Structures are given as C-alpha cells and as structure tokens.
Amino acid sequence: MLSLDAEARRALWAEVARAVDAYAETGANGPVANASNDGLAELVARFDFTAPCAPADALAAAVDGLTRFQVHAPHPRYFGLFNPAPTTMGVAADALVAAFNPQLATASHSPFAAAVESQLVRAFGGRFGYSPEEADGTFTSGGAEANATALLLALTRACPAFARGGARALPGDPKIYISEEAHASFHKAARMTGLGDDAVRVIPVDRTLRMKVDGLRTAIAKDKAAGAFPVLVVATAGTTSAGVIDPVASIAEVASRAGVAFHVDAAWGGLAALVPELSSLLDGCARADSITFDAHKALSVPMAAGMFLTRHGDALAQTFRPSAAASYMPRNASRDPYARSMQWSRRFTGLKVWLSLAVASWDGYADSLRRQVALGETLRARLRGDGWVVANETALPVVCFTDGTRADGNSAAYLNGVARAVAASGSAWISMTRVAGGARLLRACITNYATKESDVDALARALIAARESIRSAS
Ligand SMILES: *Cc1c(COP(=O)(O)O)cnc(C)c1O
C-alpha cells in the first residue's frame, strides 16, 4: 500500500501530471478566491482512515480541496502578499526531490545537493556584493528562519560563550535594533533565542517609513551608556507593508562605528540585486554581516525556500555545530549542512532555485522582475487617475493607497469594505495593511511573473466597482 505496483503508479503519475498541468493552464480562469468554505468540512470528513481508499479517489479529493478551498496566490490577479506563481522548473524540482529524497544533513550522503546549494549561496552572495572568497550561507525554510539565523550568528560572534552559556553568558542586557516597519519575525527570533520581546528596540521611521538613522544612533548610545549589550542592527530592504528600503548604507555606517553586527532583511526587496538598473537601491548591503533573501518570493520557486547569506561562513559551524559528538552521524564535519543551520534532516531546497535559474538565466530573471517593477508603475498611475491616493514611496512594485474621492476614504472600515468587495468579486485579491503611526491602507503588490497589464486593468475596475457598490449601499 505504501508503494503502488508499477501499473497503478504510472496511472497515478499521469493523473498528477494532468492535474498539475491543468492548474498551470487554466488556474487563471477561475476566481482568485472562493466565495465560501461551504462543503469543506464534508470533504475532509469523508476520510476517517479506517479503510483503504483507491489512490485515484484520494488524489481527486486533494485536487478538489486545493481547487475549491484556497486563495489562489499563484493567480495573476492575486495582488496580495509576496506569494508568486511557482516556476515550472521549481515544481519539477520539488517532485524530483520528493522522489529521490536526498538526505541533506551531511554532505557525504548528498554530495550533489550540497555542491549545488553551496554554489547558489555563493552566487547570490555575489549578487549582493559579497566577494567570491567570503560569500557563504545556508538555505532555510524561509525569511523567518533566515532572520532567526542572523540573530543566533550575531550572538555567537559577539559572545562566543553564548554557545555554551546561552543568554546567561552575555556581558549585558542584549538589544537588537529594528525599525517600526521591520518584519515581526525578529520578535519571534528574540523569543526563540531566549532574549525575549524586551530585547527588541523598535526604532521610529520617518514620513516615508524609512528607519530614522539618528534614532538608531541615539538608541545604541543610550543602551551602551546604560551597560546594555547591543547585538544586532537590522535594516529592511523592502518592507512587507510598503516595500520601502531603509537607508542601508547609513545604517551600516552607524552599526560599524558602534561595533555592532549588521543584518539586511531583503526577503523580497532583494529582487533589486538581480536587476542591474535597480541594484543601486541596495547600496550598503555588501557591508552587512548577513542578508536574508527569500527565493520563494523574489525567485518564484515553490515554498519553502529562503536563503541566509553571510560573509562569515565559519561562524555558522560555531553557531550550530553541536559540541557533543553526534555519534550516529556519518561524520561531524563542520561543512555538513546539519552543523551549519537550524535544521537537521533537510530537504534539498536548492534544486528548485538551481533548475529555475539554469533555465531562465540571470537575464531571464532580470527581465521578469523588471516587468513586474514596470507594472507597479502602471498600477500606481492607474490608481491615481481613478482618484485613489498613493501613500507609499518606493521603486518596488507595492502600492499602498486610500480613496481620495470620499471623506471617509482612509477609514479602516471603508477600506476593509473595499478589500472584501474586491475579494468577493473573485476577479482580484488585495490586502489591507497598517503602517507606523497607525494609518490603514489598501495594499496591492505585483509579485507574479504572469501578471499582465490586462490584470492590472482588471484590478482597477474591481476597485471602482467596489467603491460604487459601497456608495450605493450607504
Ligand atoms: C516575508 C518576509 C519575511 C518572512 O519570510 P517567510 O519566508 O515568510 O518566513 C521576513 N522579512 C520580510 C521583509 C518579509 O517580507
């Protein structure tokens, strides 16, 4: 039962291939989000696992569930979070990896996988300005794990006794510095490392939502004067809410003068490193001790694929290699992936990036990302023309906006109504966000390589229809 016979297997693969291809071909024809979850409980309850089920029936139930009960993030009219349609090569890679199931804990078990991932972290480190000799890193499940890795690495480098003594060994009250607009995964990381939320200093942002460098400088000086132990300064290159890029070079300078480690969270905004005319947006990144980059965002590979890039590859083993010999492991080599990351047994995450990049090439990715940035400009202009007020300033394709055509056009209740009406129409999907200072904004971002100008038009029309429907209802 756990492995099907040859005939049943081939029939199953054919059906999987058909379903995957049908979704790639026609997924864009259906609604972006389903109107309701009616029937979901019944679908799930059909299985109580007391008797075996025919493979084709089980598969059909899964395809049905995935089709009817999800927001279709891969849809070209999904303008929500940074969740693009997966690359074809990435889907193929994930299937291969599942079938060959290489064990990426040790390099000796999976030399091909280890070599590919090593090649990729070096190549991407190079795109961010690291020199070939220093570029290193590890694949992660996503940006959150990469950010937590950055904090652990910084703690271990700043205080080698941290590896044994943990937070007790730190020479003072630890502090990490992020902006008000930084990703909340740093708070999680603070909890996971035993530092806790109170270790996180949230630095105010200016009117354009960029970290106030003066505020950072003052906070570090105050903390030092009070005997605290500044551990890590974080700049965000492409905030999740508004796509804003902190003044990376100035922040790097402050961190360097204060002798504090510097991390850049470029989970999505790192896409600028792949487009030659945009790469100057990331000036200063090369000075970072480490960088977060999310392949499942910027490179459109299937989840979960993040990257932690660093100039201090040796510190990964210092941070993660267990000091007690893991006697059951083939060899406790410091280059083994399990000794250089949070995970132990690990999936070959790098293959989906490797195959996608091999087929598209750097130029292919640059073209695709350039088109997305241009569509962001198109959307911005279109919204302004329709009376919406664009509230964020960024070169990246995220547009935050309110409605300039009515007095309550920036109220949370009204904007929520608009977002809900757009989703209910099935023709597009956008989200709401709240930025520093409390302002509520509608948020539309372009992250899908398949999104075209006609999709942007459809969003603009859906927004006007939402506005009209709320006007006529009140
Ligand atoms: C998405 C995001 C993260 C978290 O990444 P995951 O891949 O969801 O774990 C971290 N930082 C920023 C700026 C992000 O946009």
Side-chain angles (χ1 to χ4, degrees):
M1 286 287 183
L2 297 185
S3 150
L4 306 181
D5 66 39
E7 200 182 328
R9 213 170 53 223
R10 283 180 200 125
L12 187 75
W13 295 157
E15 190 47 31
V16 169
R18 198 203 56 75
V20 168
D21 202 62
Y23 191 61
E25 186 70 25
T26 62
N29 300 345
V32 187
N34 303 87
S36 89
N37 285 343
D38 289 352
L40 172 58
E42 292 79 353
L43 171 60
V44 172
R46 260 171 42 205
F47 294 82
D48 67 1
F49 316 115
T50 51
C53 166
D57 294 344
L59 189 74
V63 171
D64 179 32
L66 288 165
T67 305
R68 286 197 288 148
F69 303 113
Q70 71 165 337
V71 175
H72 290 282
H75 198 292
R77 293 181 183 177
Y78 173 81
F79 298 91
L81 306 171
F82 302 132
N83 299 132
T87 61
T88 309
M89 294 311 292
V91 175
D94 260 4
L96 278 181
V97 167
F100 283 76
N101 208 22
Q103 168 56 286
L104 201 40
T106 61
S108 60
H109 262 53
S110 304
F112 172 68
V116 161
E117 292 202 346
S118 171
Q119 177 192 31
L120 287 171
V121 291
R122 285 166 208 277
F124 279 89
R127 299 302 301 213
F128 284 94
Y130 286 172
S131 75
E133 306 80 56
E134 61 184 11
D136 205 340
T138 179
F139 274 83
T140 62
S141 57
E145 184 190 328
N147 286 341
T149 301
L151 180 53
L152 269 170
L153 192 98
L155 282 162
T156 310
R157 288 190 69 238
C159 175
F162 177 78
R164 289 193 74 88
R168 289 179 303 273
L170 299 174
D173 191 6
K175 297 292 173 207
I176 74 174
Y177 304 84
I178 65 175
S179 92
E180 283 178 280
E181 291 291 300
H183 197 267
S185 53
F186 288 101
H187 281 91
K188 257 194 182 180
R191 291 186 185 181
M192 288 190 282
T193 49
L195 270 51
D197 286 349
D198 290 348
V200 183
R201 282 268 189 264
V202 179
I203 308 296
V205 294
D206 65 17
R207 201 185 43 78
T208 66
L209 304 176
R210 284 159 184 82
M211 182 194 273
K212 281 184 172 164
V213 180
D214 283 346
L216 172 67
R217 196 181 292 112
T218 314
I220 295 177
K222 259 195 184 158
D223 283 342
K224 281 191 162 177
F229 181 53
V231 173
L232 183 66
V233 170
V234 177
T236 307
T239 57
T240 314
S241 274
V244 160
I245 298 176
D246 278 337
V248 178
S250 310
I251 294 172
E253 187 59 30
V254 171
S256 156
R257 282 177 190 239
V260 182
F262 176 46
H263 177 73
V264 176
D265 181 359
W268 174 72
L271 68 89
L274 305 187
V275 187
E277 67 272 24
L278 298 179
S279 61
S280 64
L281 293 173
L282 301 177
D283 280 351
C285 273
R287 295 180 65 182
D289 295 289
S290 54
I291 297 169
T292 287
F293 180 64
D294 244 348
H296 62 215
K297 290 177 178 169
L299 301 179
S300 305
V301 301
M303 285 178 260
M307 284 187 212
F308 173 78
L309 307 171
T310 180
R311 294 192 280 120
H312 311 289
D314 292 347
L316 281 170
Q318 255 173 287
T319 303
F320 291 110
R321 188 183 180 183
S323 48
S327 54
Y328 37 83
M329 296 304 282
R331 223 186 319 127
N332 198 7
S334 58
R335 288 296 307 179
D336 277 340
Y338 88 93
R340 311 177 83 238
S341 80
M342 281 192 203
Q343 299 180 46
W344 199 289
S345 295
R346 182 159 73 72
R347 183 182 177 82
F348 180 13
T349 303
L351 189 64
K352 46 195 166 190
V353 176
W354 202 72
L355 286 182
S356 301
L357 184 58
V359 168
S361 80
W362 294 115
D363 282 348
Y365 265 111
D367 285 346
S368 168
L369 293 165
R370 187 179 284 128
R371 267 199 308 277
Q372 292 171 38
V373 170
L375 274 183
E377 289 299 336
T378 306
L379 175 61
R380 220 168 265 132
R382 181 76 202 252
L383 292 178
R384 284 196 174 110
D386 289 345
W388 306 93
V389 178
V390 173
N392 65 328
E393 285 175 32
T394 175
L396 300 177
V398 186
V399 190
C400 299
F401 56 101
T402 57
D403 193 347
T405 66
R406 39 190 291 160
D408 66 347
N410 56 6
S411 77
Y414 172 72
L415 296 172
N416 240 321
V418 172
R420 270 205 310 273
V422 169
S425 76
S427 60
W429 202 98
I430 59 169
S431 60
M432 284 268 294
T433 191
R434 192 176 63 191
V435 292
R440 305 297 178 102
L441 306 168
L442 289 168
R443 176 188 179 286
C445 85
I446 289 156
T447 61
N448 192 326
Y449 57 79
T451 299
K452 298 190 299 288
E453 191 158 339
S454 54
D455 299 312
V456 169
D457 289 343
L459 170 60
R461 283 197 305 274
L463 280 164
I464 289 177
R467 172 197 277 162
E468 304 283 306
S469 73
I470 293 172
R471 178 170 300 150
S472 55
S474 58

